[in-house]
Amino acid sequence: MGVWELSVYVSVLLLALSGSPVLGSLRNVTADVFGSESYGKVAAFGDFNADKQTDMFIIRSGNELWIFLADLKGTPYFHPNVKLSLKSEDVVITSVVPGDYDGDSQMDVLLTTIPKDKVNTDVPLTAVIYWGLNQTLNVNSKTRLNNTYLDEPLIIDFNGDLIPDIFGVTGEGAKPLITYGGGNLSVTTTLNTKNKMFIPHSHAFVDLTTDFTADLFLTTVSGASEIQFETWENKGGNFTESTLIIQKPKDVKIVGQSVFADFGILNFTGWL
Ligand SMILES: *[C@@H]1O[C@H](CO)[C@@H](O)[C@H](O)[C@H]1NC(C)=O
Ligand SMILES: *[C@@H]1O[C@H](CO)[C@@H](O)[C@H](O)[C@H]1NC(C)=O
Ligand SMILES: *[C@@H]1O[C@H](CO)[C@@H](O)[C@H](O)[C@H]1NC(C)=O
Ligand SMILES: *[C@@H]1O[C@H](CO)[C@@H](O)[C@H](O)[C@H]1NC(C)=O
Ligand SMILES: *[C@@H]1O[C@H](CO)[C@@H](O)[C@H](O)[C@H]1NC(C)=O
Ligand SMILES: *[C@@H]1O[C@H](CO)[C@@H](O)[C@H](O)[C@H]1NC(C)=O
């Protein structure tokens, strides 16, 4: 998982190659899929109503979250059934991360926001979880995290309890903070990092040691202000120290998002 906002306009999802509605075997199905509702920014995917169909989370006007529930039975396939409007709060939604943050089997939504008048400035992000109840979201049923984030938080299950936790650098301390889901969200711990996190981050939760347990991959900044990549091996659910630090290769000029794939016979050490 990384930064979630994709900024893809729905209408260009399917066919942006030609003005013609039919091109070879490609067909513009936007109207079948969305009807007349094909506008907004796709922010996330997830099964919100637990019907085993993937629903879409779409931001409109910067401050409205719409959940398009999938309906196999008819056209259009997606209907904008659930709406959460933050209009009255004068904020812009910067990221949407669906997940069951309290473990009640109902999907909740974590939103990060910034004040509307601070767009394009360097302000910390506010993170608020809106609690899913009976397949709806209510603007009053929410928990605002006490800390603000300097970068989009990473959502991972740190403690292996199958409930997502929130990891990120806050405005309140240099070390990344982990806020555990499942309780009252006031139980936290910090990760004992020695280096500053690189912003924007490209952290990941992925098995890098081939032991079938996800490890932590962090992009950090070394003492010499060089970008580096740290692996924190998951040892029985504990992340006590970085087990491998790889410096950015010397000739690399720009560091963007890290991508992970099974490159075959090379292990991670052999790769860089
Ligand atoms: C695809 O269909 C949608 C909805 O009918 C339309 O708005 C869009 O312009 C079409 N795109 C192309 C490339 O034809
Ligand atoms: C949620 O739905 C259940 C079953 O339909 C109902 O019993 C319950 O009262 C509802 N809860 C709320 C808060 O609407
Ligand atoms: C939150 O939960 C923890 C652990 O269950 C508990 O120790 C703490 O007192 C709770 N805090 C509040 C403010 O309820
Ligand atoms: C935020 O801080 C207040 C006061 O310390 C505390 O009562 C509350 O439980 C905290 N909330 C979260 C989500 O940490
Ligand atoms: C992980 O940390 C816990 C609590 O500090 C400790 O009890 C446990 O032995 C540690 N596990 C491993 C595999 O190091
Ligand atoms: C990983 O690859 C490097 C270079 O090919 C090799 O030296 C090393 O032994 C390999 N490590 C493991 C654990 O296979």
Side-chain angles (χ1 to χ4, degrees):
M1 269 185 288
V3 179
W4 275 84
E5 196 184 353
L6 293 175
S7 302
V8 177
Y9 283 92
V10 176
S11 61
V12 297
L13 254 185
L14 294 155
L15 180 68
L17 294 174
S18 137
S20 133
V22 177
L23 182 76
S25 59
L26 290 179
R27 197 165 63 87
N28 183 358
V29 294
T30 305
D32 299 342
V33 175
F34 296 108
S36 56
E37 299 282 349
S38 61
Y39 60 98
K41 281 181 187 175
V42 179
F45 297 92
D47 180 6
F48 185 69
N49 57 350
D51 65 350
K52 302 195 171 63
Q53 308 292 327
T54 303
D55 309 313
M56 286 176 96
F57 294 70
I58 288 180
I59 301 171
R60 286 181 175 169
S61 313
N63 56 19
E64 288 177 1
L65 174 69
W66 289 80
I67 304 176
F68 281 55
L69 298 180
D71 174 14
L72 270 183
K73 286 197 267 324
T75 50
Y77 183 61
F78 285 104
H79 293 269
N81 299 61
V82 179
K83 177 187 176 186
L84 180 76
S85 175
L86 305 187
K87 209 164 243 165
S88 59
E89 306 191 5
D90 275 331
V91 295
V92 169
I93 300 169
T94 59
S95 170
V96 177
V97 193
D100 179 8
Y101 293 93
D102 56 0
D104 67 350
S105 310
Q106 309 222 32
M107 190 180 266
D108 314 305
V109 179
L110 180 143
L111 300 182
T112 58
T113 62
I114 53 172
K116 201 173 192 168
D117 55 0
K118 297 278 165 51
V119 172
N120 296 328
T121 65
D122 212 8
V123 285
L125 304 162
T126 300
V128 185
I129 297 175
Y130 289 87
W131 301 108
L133 187 64
N134 280 0
Q135 302 171 8
T136 58
L137 295 172
N138 184 322
V139 76
N140 297 316
S141 173
K142 65 182 174 193
T143 301
R144 184 186 162 135
L145 300 192
N146 280 345
N147 299 87
T148 56
Y149 289 85
L150 300 185
D151 196 1
E152 297 290 349
L154 175 72
I155 310 300
I156 63 176
D157 178 12
F158 236 90
N159 51 358
D161 64 356
L162 303 181
I163 297 176
D165 309 314
I166 301 144
F167 171 94
V169 184
T170 67
E172 288 78 12
K175 291 185 191 298
L177 184 78
I178 301 148
T179 300
Y180 293 108
N184 49 25
L185 298 170
S186 59
V187 182
T188 60
T189 181
T190 49
L191 191 69
N192 196 19
T193 49
K194 298 195 172 53
N195 299 302
K196 256 176 70 180
M197 298 295 116
F198 181 62
I199 296 178
H201 76 73
S202 185
H203 308 326
F205 197 46
V206 56
D207 179 12
L208 297 167
T209 53
T210 60
D211 61 354
F212 300 104
T213 312
D215 308 302
L216 196 56
F217 176 88
L218 301 176
T219 34
T220 63
V221 184
S222 74
S225 299
E226 286 290 332
I227 295 170
Q228 55 186 14
F229 307 100
E230 300 188 17
T231 299
W232 290 61
E233 188 175 354
N234 189 342
K235 291 182 176 152
N238 299 334
F239 298 87
T240 38
E241 57 179 7
S242 57
T243 44
L244 176 68
I245 299 184
I246 295 175
Q247 305 296 327
K248 167 177 81 69
K250 281 213 160 33
D251 298 332
V252 169
K253 298 277 183 265
I254 295 172
V255 175
Q257 292 280 298
S258 303
V259 174
F260 299 87
D262 184 352
F263 288 106
I265 53 165
L266 288 182
N267 60 41
F268 187 63
T269 324
W271 171 51
L272 279 177

